[in-house]
């Protein structure tokens, strides 16, 4: 069913009042890549049709290792330069094994949570939840590892409940 033109105009006006979204700048942290590329695709790629413009936006929203990786694509004369830049980023930063390893390293190197340190326990619980959510669907994670993240996160919540604290 078609919407009345007045409703379309009202919806567009309401959207124009919202603050504009921008993707985060991606520096090469494999744990940040999935969120970065999803934001870039949603906020930039869906609104720009010209590959050369997409390449410059990609350059604008990268820094560090990621920017260095795609720098050569800016010099390419072919129309495939954006596709090549995306291919390079995907090859270097979307490897499920690298992402899983980064989360495991982050959690393995987490400082010990001292007794009665509710804030420290909450931060560790949040890190576990982030890892579990990021690893759901990751082909490199075994069901045992996912179960560990899920159960350990629940254990942290249970500790908060026993101590009378909320998440």
């Amino acid at each position: 069913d078609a919407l009345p033109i007045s409703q379309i105009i009202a919806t567009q006006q309401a959207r124009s009042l919202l603050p504009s979204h921008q993707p985060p700048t991606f520096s090469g942290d494999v744990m940040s890549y999935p969120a970065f590329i999803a934001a870039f695709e949603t906020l930039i790629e869906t609104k720009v049709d010209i590959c050369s413009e997409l390449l410059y936006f990609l350059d604008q929203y990268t820094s560090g290792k990621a920017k260095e990786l795609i720098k050569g694509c800016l010099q390419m004369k072919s129309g495939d330069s954006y596709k090549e830049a995306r291919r390079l980023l995907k090859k270097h930063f979307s490897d499920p094994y690298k992402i899983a390893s980064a989360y495991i390293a982050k959690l393995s190197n987490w400082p010990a949570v001292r007794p009665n340190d509710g804030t420290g326990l909450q931060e560790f619980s949040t890190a576990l939840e982030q890892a579990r959510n990021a690893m759901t669907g990751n082909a490199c994670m075994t069901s045992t590892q996912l179960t560990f993240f899920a159960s350990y996160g629940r254990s942290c919540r249970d500790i908060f409940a026993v101590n009378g604290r909320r998440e």
Side-chain angles (χ1 to χ4, degrees):
D1 295 318
L3 294 175
I5 191 83
S6 59
Q7 187 176 0
I8 293 169
I9 291 170
T11 301
Q12 289 300 323
Q13 185 177 16
R15 290 193 82 183
S16 71
L17 298 175
L18 293 172
S20 64
H21 296 304
Q22 292 186 349
T25 299
F26 177 63
S27 63
D29 173 17
V30 294
M31 292 185 293
S32 302
Y33 181 76
F36 163 75
I37 208 63
F40 188 85
E41 288 171 349
T42 301
L43 301 172
I44 305 291
E45 225 177 58
T46 58
K47 297 174 183 159
V48 178
D49 294 329
I50 302 168
C51 286
S52 59
E53 283 185 46
L54 285 169
L55 179 61
Y56 285 104
F57 277 115
L58 193 59
D59 181 60
Q60 178 181 342
Y61 290 107
T62 54
S63 66
K65 295 182 285 185
K67 190 177 202 81
E68 284 299 311
L69 183 63
I70 65 167
K71 187 187 285 186
C73 296
L74 294 167
Q75 310 302 320
M76 292 174 66
K77 301 292 184 197
S78 74
D80 293 335
S81 55
Y82 174 68
K83 288 180 182 175
E84 177 62 11
R86 284 290 305 267
R87 186 191 70 76
L88 288 169
L89 289 173
K90 184 177 181 178
K91 177 183 173 189
H92 287 267
F93 303 112
S94 73
D95 179 350
Y97 179 77
K98 288 180 182 177
I99 295 170
S101 295
Y103 275 103
I104 290 169
K106 177 182 177 179
L107 295 172
S108 297
N109 295 321
W110 197 271
V113 178
R114 302 204 184 283
N116 299 319
D117 181 6
T119 302
L121 188 59
Q122 177 65 53
E123 289 170 356
F124 186 60
S125 176
T126 300
L128 284 166
E129 292 284 344
Q130 288 172 344
R132 186 198 63 192
N133 291 337
M135 295 298 92
T136 300
N138 184 328
C140 291
M141 293 296 288
T142 66
S143 60
T144 303
Q145 290 167 320
L146 284 173
T147 302
F148 168 77
F149 286 136
S151 63
Y152 206 80
R154 275 195 294 278
S155 297
C156 290
R157 284 193 299 278
D158 293 344
I159 292 169
F160 280 112
V162 168
N163 290 326
R165 297 188 177 119
R166 295 183 179 183
E167 282 191 88

